[in-house]
Amino acid sequence: MDKKQREARRHQEDIALQRGLLWVVGAIVLEVLLVLVNRFYINYYLNEAEIFLALHKVLSAVRMAAPVATLLALVWTGWQVKQKQKFMLPFILTTAFGALSVCSHVAIKFRGPGVSMLIWLVIGWAVLAMVFYIYQHEFFLGAAACGMSILALWFVRYGLSGRPESFLVLAAIAVVTAAAFWLKKTDGALPNKEQFLPQETNYAVLLVTCAASLLAVVAAMLAGGTVAYYLIFVMIAWLFALFVYYTVKLM
C-alpha cells in the first residue's frame, strides 16, 4: 500500500469515526432526556405535579406523532435506496423518530422499570453505532439481532402487558434476518451497488445468530416470563461470544 492509498484509507477511517461520534452525541442527548424523565416523570415530588402533567402531555404527543414520522422516514429511506441515491439523512431520521417512539411508549406504559431499561438500551445503541462505523458490518447485524432479542425477552417478562411490544421486536429481528439472507444472495452488495459486506463474508455465524435470536423470543413467548428471564442471560452471553469471535477474526 503506497502513501496515497494510506492517506485515502486514513481519511475514510476519520469520516467513519466522526459519524460514529455523532451517533454517540445523539445517544448522550437522549440519555440526558431519559434521566430528566426519570427524575420529573417517574420519581417526581408532590410539589412537582405540574411538571409531571406537562411531561405526560409531551410524552403522549410524541407517542402518537413519532411512529407516523418514523414510517414516513422509513418510506423515504426505501425510496432513496430504490433510486440508488444517498439515503443517510432519511435513515438517520428513521432511527431518531424510532428511538423517540420507543422511549415515549415505554416510559408511559412501563414507568420506572421501563425507563431504567431504556437508560441501558441507549448505551447499547451508542455502542452499536460505533460498531457499525469502525468495526465489521456483519458483527453489527448479528449484534443488532441479538440485542433486539434481549429487548423482546424483557417485554415477554411482563406477560400479556408486554406481548404487543415483543411481537414488534420479533418482527424487527425477522427483518434483520431477511436482510442477512438477501445480502448473502447479493454477495454483500446493496441495491445501489455499494458493498455493505465483504464478498468473502462467512454468513454462517450471522445467520445462526439471527436464527437463535428469533428462536429465543419465540420460546420465551410460549414458555412464559421465567424462561424469558433466563434467556436474557443466554443472549447476553451469546452477544459477548460474538464480540470475542469478531475481535479474534480481525487479528
Side-chain angles (χ1 to χ4, degrees):
M1 183 181 296
D2 58 26
K3 184 177 180 180
K4 188 175 181 179
Q5 289 176 323
R6 287 197 299 269
E7 288 295 330
R9 182 174 180 179
R10 188 179 298 110
H11 180 66
Q12 291 178 347
E13 291 174 349
D14 289 341
I15 292 175
L17 180 59
Q18 290 172 5
R19 290 176 176 175
L21 290 175
L22 285 176
W23 283 102
V24 172
V25 170
I28 291 173
V29 172
L30 186 56
E31 193 82 353
V32 171
L33 292 175
L34 285 173
V35 170
L36 292 175
V37 167
N38 186 59
R39 169 62 183 82
F40 293 105
Y41 184 71
I42 303 300
N43 299 307
Y44 67 96
Y45 297 112
L46 291 179
N47 60 351
E48 298 170 342
E50 291 184 359
I51 299 177
F52 166 80
L53 292 174
L55 280 175
H56 184 72
K57 291 180 180 179
V58 171
L59 288 172
S60 298
V62 172
R63 188 187 191 188
M64 292 186 293
V68 177
T70 303
L71 181 59
L72 292 175
L74 182 60
V75 171
W76 184 18
T77 303
W79 174 259
Q80 291 294 98
V81 171
K82 185 178 180 180
Q83 296 299 314
K84 300 180 180 180
Q85 298 179 2
K86 294 182 178 180
F87 58 90
M88 187 52 62
L89 177 58
F91 175 74
I92 291 173
L93 291 176
T94 301
T95 306
F97 288 132
L100 289 176
S101 301
V102 172
C103 290
S104 58
H105 174 75
V106 171
I108 291 175
K109 184 173 181 179
F110 295 96
R111 307 287 298 169
V115 173
S116 298
M117 180 272 294
L118 287 173
I119 290 174
W120 286 104
L121 182 65
V122 170
I123 296 174
W125 174 40
V127 172
L128 198 58
M130 294 301 294
V131 165
F132 178 80
Y133 284 107
I134 66 176
Y135 217 65
Q136 301 168 81
H137 283 176
E138 58 263 41
F139 177 50
F140 167 79
L141 290 174
C146 200
M148 285 191 291
S149 73
I150 295 170
L151 177 61
L153 291 169
W154 188 92
F155 285 127
V156 172
R157 284 188 61 201
Y158 280 84
L160 293 177
S161 63
R163 185 166 289 271
E165 293 81 4
S166 58
F167 272 112
L168 286 174
V169 180
L170 183 64
I173 300 172
V175 170
V176 173
T177 305
F181 274 108
W182 181 73
L183 286 168
K184 181 181 180 181
K185 184 178 179 181
T186 62
D187 289 330
L190 298 174
N192 60 0
K193 305 303 180 183
E194 181 180 346
Q195 198 67 33
F196 184 77
L197 296 179
Q199 292 182 345
E200 65 275 8
T201 297
N202 183 353
Y203 289 88
V205 175
L206 174 58
L207 294 176
V208 168
T209 298
C210 290
S213 301
L214 288 169
L215 290 174
V217 179
V218 172
M221 286 179 172
L222 295 175
T226 303
V227 172
Y229 174 78
Y230 289 107
L231 282 176
I232 288 175
F233 294 100
V234 172
M235 296 312 297
I236 290 174
W238 193 297
L239 185 58
F240 179 76
L242 279 181
F243 172 75
V244 173
Y245 170 78
Y246 283 107
T247 300
V248 172
K249 190 178 177 182
L250 282 176
M251 297 178 180

